Amino acid sequence: MAIPAQAGAAVRAGVRARAGASAGARGDRHGWRTAGIAAWVAGIAVFAALHAVHLKADFPNYSPWTFDWAKYTDEGWYGNAAVRAHLVGHWYLAGDFNPAVAVPVWPLAEWVLFCFTGVRVEAARALAVSVFFVNLALSYALLRARSREAGGSPQMGSRWAALVGVSLLVTSPFLYCFSRLAILEPLETAWVLAGLNVAVRLGQWRRPVWGAAGVGALAVLAGLTKTTAIFLLPALAWAMAAGLKHRRGVAIKCAGVAGAVFAGGYGLWLALIARAHLWTDYKYYFFVNNYPRPHEWWWPLQSLWWSTHGVLWADKNLAPLAGVMVVGAACAWCLSARRAYFPRSQNRDLGHPAGNAGPSTSFAGANSAQFDNARSGLVLSQVPKCEGPGAPSRLGSWARTMARDPVFGASVLGIAGMILFMTVQNHPQPRYFAPVAFFVVFLVVRGIEALVVAQASRARDGAVPARGGISKGWAGAVLAATLVAMGVNGARTIEYAAHPEYTFVTAAANLTHYIDTHPNGNRLLVSVSGDEITLLTHLPALCDDFGTMDLPEKLGAYRPGWFAAWNDFDPGTLEDLHTHFSVEQVAEFPALDDPDRNVLVLYKLHPLPNGEVREPHDPGEPDLTQPLAEDRIEVEMQ
């Protein structure tokens, strides 16, 4: 009896030794995985930190978005209420451009910030960069949103996918350029991402209606940050509906509550501005953003193409991948549904019940309940588990995951909404695609993850893999292409961060110094970039392009002493100036990189003798659209 006892002890000791070795190996793997994730997060932090350095530098010169007007005007325009409130004591300037009436959230945030920092462009841009950091966190949280298929299939929302998404965002040169400007798009994106995070998780709330009210409130903030957010509301609605897809009554109630909160909140703001007699400024904001449209009947098609092609501005490397994901998911869904309804072997199976002994893609081998469910619309959830050439069930699994994922669907609608806005407006600009850049990344990441989930789901169900591993192969190929795009984008972002230029801030400082050392009556500048110069140097300014007063009336009311324009002279503007002044060109300041707008030209405005006022279309007056004898204008006329 001693020998068996000794043998049993030896076996138990061997088992314990093997268990200890296995636990040690698992511990080593866990340690390496933790170290890898820490290194990954550190790399993300380094790229994020690049956004916060050299904040006074130019928008990167010679970038693909060099023609965007935001770097010349938008920081000043949309923050002018906060700047005026601190510099002159009031936020509103009668007759000038007052966009805070329509989009008050960003200037209010800047006003609070300037209470602590003073009016500084670095502070305004630091606020925008801080919002970008918040957007990274919100994107991570959104990509971590769980999306479990019925029957216990593997979940979407893995950590690795969320980290890939944040890595793509933080290395994007497009977002590096536009997230460092104190413009409206970063904060607009933040409200929308916050709303999506709440919307996709409504199913986890004990009282989803309260969460829906929060979505509506965030939509109000987004709309009051930038009115284009209204075109992103369908994305929020889809996220709510998809998150509550198994609770239709609750979903309808939540949609109604969110809509009511949005309508009530936005309506309250409209009532406030009407009571403050600011309705003219509110309507003017939309008037100046209403661009002329061609007379040809086909112009919407041309505008749609232009706007859709503009998605490449957001990321010419990732946007095509996102498009492949959307088109691939749609095709896979259609193919899977077609094969579920009309399997090729159906007639053969019905005519010869014993004709197929092995797995078949028809419904003949399925029970009648499965067939009835498929006929009632639950096709994708009832695709038979079989493998063969073409692997329809695997395509169906991937398509089903994509179609039911609230993040994927919301991203598609978000991009479609912005394309629709720019098609209707007929004036796409790169900065409008800042929210689109986030949605493009979400599509790519969720598409890759859905391929992985589809592969894992097939493995869990015990299906025999198809030759070549369709989902696994595609996931690897798309992930590799994504990593290459990330590397290319990251290299360009590093290049921009490593070579800052300060041409605009230098030009603004030199222009202000010239005005201060060459007095000419009123120290007030008229310029399309005037508000931007005020933000940079505190020089008071008016906008010559926009305002509820016509420019001649505004000139008569404020009597400025200076005018500045880019490169050449617009005949219409010269006509307006000639009603009160003669014009003398006195200095030029090179700045930025656009060939049409790379020299800031300064002019003195000399009042006409005895307060004379010319009539622009008086037959007795000379042609005011051209330089007069008393003018000195050396630049070309437009």
Side-chain angles (χ1 to χ4, degrees):
M1 297 298 295
I3 294 176
Q6 293 175 355
V11 169
R12 287 193 294 273
V15 169
R16 285 194 296 270
R18 287 193 296 272
S22 177
R26 286 196 299 270
D28 291 342
R29 288 195 298 270
H30 178 74
W32 282 107
R33 184 165 58 249
T34 302
I37 292 174
W40 193 349
V41 172
I44 291 174
V46 169
F47 270 96
L50 293 179
H51 292 68
V53 299
H54 310 306
L55 288 178
K56 290 187 72 172
D58 296 341
F59 184 96
N61 290 316
Y62 307 105
S63 73
W65 317 284
T66 186
F67 54 90
D68 193 289
W69 262 99
K71 61 184 179 181
Y72 296 93
T73 57
D74 283 31
E75 291 180 300
W77 282 346
Y78 295 110
N80 62 16
V83 173
R84 291 169 185 160
H86 282 277
L87 295 183
V88 300
H90 54 81
W91 68 272
Y92 182 81
L93 191 60
D96 202 42
F97 187 39
N98 295 285
V101 173
V103 284
V105 176
W106 178 251
L108 178 61
E110 285 192 326
W111 177 81
V112 173
L113 175 68
F114 292 158
C115 290
F116 300 97
T117 65
V119 177
R120 301 173 59 200
V121 68
E122 306 99 298
R125 291 177 178 176
L127 179 60
V129 171
S130 299
V131 173
F132 175 69
F133 293 162
V134 171
N135 289 341
L136 293 179
L138 290 171
S139 299
Y140 179 84
L142 186 61
L143 291 172
R144 289 283 283 162
R146 296 291 184 177
S147 177
R148 180 181 287 277
E149 295 296 324
S153 299
Q155 290 179 333
M156 300 279 281
S158 58
R159 179 190 296 170
W160 68 264
L163 287 176
V164 169
V166 174
S167 301
L168 292 171
L169 293 170
V170 82
T171 56
S172 167
F174 177 85
L175 290 176
Y176 173 83
C177 293
F178 286 98
S179 67
R180 287 165 46 85
L181 291 179
I183 56 179
L184 304 180
E185 282 76 11
L187 188 56
E188 173 198 24
T189 304
W191 298 127
V192 173
L193 292 179
L196 288 174
N197 269 284
V198 176
V200 299
R201 293 177 171 86
L202 286 182
Q204 303 170 18
W205 287 56
R206 291 182 59 187
R207 296 180 178 177
V209 170
W210 288 103
V215 173
L218 290 166
V220 172
L221 290 171
L224 293 178
T225 299
K226 188 173 176 66
T227 53
T228 56
I230 293 174
F231 289 85
L232 298 175
L233 295 184
L236 291 173
W238 172 270
M240 286 194 295
L244 296 168
K245 58 181 176 289
H246 300 303
R247 302 163 66 183
R248 186 170 301 174
V250 176
I252 294 173
K253 185 184 296 184
C254 288
V257 168
V261 170
F262 175 78
Y266 204 90
L268 177 61
W269 177 254
L270 295 181
L272 288 174
I273 63 175
R275 183 177 179 82
H277 306 290
L278 297 172
W279 195 249
T280 299
D281 293 273
Y282 181 82
K283 291 190 296 183
Y284 182 78
Y285 176 81
F286 294 94
F287 170 76
V288 298
N289 283 288
N290 186 21
Y291 293 90
R293 299 171 177 83
H295 298 292
E296 294 83 358
W297 64 267
W298 43 263
W299 76 262
L301 298 177
Q302 182 181 28
S303 182
L304 175 62
W305 165 250
W306 188 16
S307 302
T308 304
H309 186 267
V311 177
L312 294 175
W313 283 332
D315 197 314
K316 67 178 182 180
N317 299 315
L318 292 179
L321 283 176
V324 168
M325 289 295 177
V326 174
V327 174
C331 292
W333 189 91
C334 293
L335 178 61
S336 178
R338 176 180 178 276
R339 291 185 176 180
Y341 275 120
F342 307 108
R344 295 177 181 177
S345 57
Q346 183 176 3
N347 294 335
R348 184 179 65 225
D349 290 341
L350 291 175
H352 305 279
N356 288 321
S360 170
T361 59
S362 77
F363 280 102
N367 58 46
S368 60
Q370 183 181 3
F371 182 79
D372 292 339
N373 285 337
R375 297 291 300 201
S376 66
L378 301 177
V379 178
L380 293 181
S381 62
Q382 301 295 335
V383 176
K385 301 174 184 176
C386 56
E387 291 292 345
S393 59
R394 180 167 300 183
L395 290 173
S397 177
W398 179 56
R400 180 179 63 231
T401 302
M402 300 281 268
R404 293 180 175 180
D405 178 42
V407 177
F408 188 86
S411 299
V412 172
L413 288 177
I415 295 174
M418 295 308 297
I419 289 176
L420 174 62
F421 159 69
M422 281 172 276
T423 299
V424 173
Q425 189 194 40
N426 194 38
H427 187 70
Q429 288 287 300
R431 64 184 176 276
Y432 296 154
F433 288 89
V436 171
F438 284 81
F439 292 133
V440 164
V441 168
F442 297 161
L443 288 178
V444 171
V445 171
R446 289 306 244 198
I448 295 172
E449 192 176 13
L451 288 169
V452 175
V453 165
Q455 181 72 17
S457 177
R458 300 296 298 160
R460 181 186 63 83
D461 293 341
V464 179
R467 185 173 57 188
I470 295 174
S471 293
K472 186 175 181 180
W474 276 109
V478 176
L479 182 58
T482 301
L483 294 177
V484 170
M486 184 192 304
V488 172
N489 287 345
R492 176 169 290 182
T493 298
I494 292 173
E495 181 182 0
Y496 289 157
H499 299 91
E501 296 181 80
Y502 298 86
T503 62
F504 194 12
V505 67
T506 301
N510 291 339
L511 179 146
T512 302
H513 178 73
Y514 187 96
I515 290 175
D516 290 339
T517 55
H518 298 79
N520 184 48
N522 193 356
R523 185 179 177 268
L524 179 64
L525 175 70
V526 177
S527 176
V528 68
S529 296
D531 287 324
E532 189 80 15
I533 294 171
T534 302
L535 177 62
L536 291 170
T537 68
H538 301 179
L539 179 70
L542 298 170
C543 181
D544 64 312
D545 262 12
F546 297 152
T548 53
M549 285 184 184
D550 290 335
L551 184 55
E553 182 183 4
K554 192 189 300 186
L555 294 172
Y558 289 100
R559 308 299 295 181
W562 304 86
F563 173 73
W566 292 95
N567 291 56
D568 49 26
F569 218 125
D570 174 60
T573 302
L574 181 58
E575 181 181 41
D576 292 338
L577 292 173
H578 273 156
T579 59
H580 293 276
F581 304 98
S582 61
V583 180
E584 178 189 2
Q585 181 176 333
V586 294
E588 296 182 356
F589 307 97
L592 301 177
D593 58 336
D594 188 342
D596 296 326
R597 293 181 291 269
N598 60 1
V599 178
L600 187 59
V601 186
L602 180 64
Y603 305 85
K604 278 185 179 181
L605 299 179
H606 299 289
L608 298 180
N610 303 318
E612 178 188 353
V613 177
R614 297 187 179 113
E615 291 296 329
H617 304 292
D618 188 344
E621 296 285 352
D623 183 2
L624 301 185
T625 64
Q626 298 300 316
L628 303 179
E630 60 269 27
D631 294 333
R632 188 168 72 87
I633 300 175
E634 299 174 358
V635 299
E636 295 181 358
M637 301 298 296
Q638 285 186 5

